[in-house]
Amino acid sequence: METKPALVASLVQEFVGNAHGDLNRVKELLAQEPALINATWDWGGGDFETALGAASHMGRKDIANFLLEHGARLDIFAAAMLGNLDIVKAALEAHPNAINTPGPHGIPLIVHAQAGGDQALPVLEYLQSLL
């Protein structure tokens, strides 16, 4: 594989930071640098977060769906927020302890489901049944 240069750190931080709530800026930055789609930012102490992770714990379905449409890697936290019960069930059946694995900023999986609102209610109820 060809070695590519690292992304500019400030660009990664801006992309992930804006994915918490600014869809227009996320679109602008991704158009500027498509490699940002799966970039991660370390907020400190190994608290790594992707743009999809940011959108997920904030309940920003619009940003999450945009990122997924552009190649972001789906994870259990985004699946929970988006109400993808089949994906969450399959992941937890294969790896039951994942229910206790914290997401970015130490935010639990169940909080991601809560952030998803009505659409994620089946996921929230499923997770509550496991606790």
Side-chain angles (χ1 to χ4, degrees):
M1 287 183 49
E2 176 187 339
T3 302
K4 297 178 183 177
L7 295 171
V8 176
S10 60
L11 191 60
V12 173
Q13 183 180 21
E14 182 180 1
F15 184 65
V16 173
N18 278 289
H20 286 85
D22 188 341
L23 176 58
N24 289 331
R25 187 65 180 140
V26 166
K27 288 179 177 182
E28 291 170 2
L29 291 167
L30 192 59
Q32 176 185 334
E33 179 50 77
L36 287 168
I37 193 65
N38 288 304
T40 60
W41 180 251
D42 184 352
W43 293 106
D47 181 13
F48 286 93
E49 183 176 39
T50 64
L52 182 59
S56 296
H57 69 78
M58 297 301 293
R60 290 300 303 261
K61 295 178 189 129
D62 56 341
I63 297 173
N65 284 319
F66 171 80
L67 294 166
L68 289 166
E69 290 165 6
H70 287 83
R73 296 178 194 117
L74 179 64
D75 62 30
I76 192 171
F77 301 100
M81 186 273 293
L82 292 169
N84 298 130
L85 181 59
D86 291 343
I87 293 170
V88 173
K89 274 187 173 180
L92 292 177
E93 286 172 5
H95 302 281
N97 289 333
I99 195 168
N100 299 315
T101 302
H105 316 311
I107 298 171
L109 182 59
I110 198 164
V111 173
H112 287 78
Q114 291 167 339
D118 290 344
Q119 181 179 345
L121 189 57
V123 175
L124 178 60
E125 290 170 350
Y126 170 71
L127 294 175
Q128 289 171 330
S129 77
L130 299 177
L131 298 176

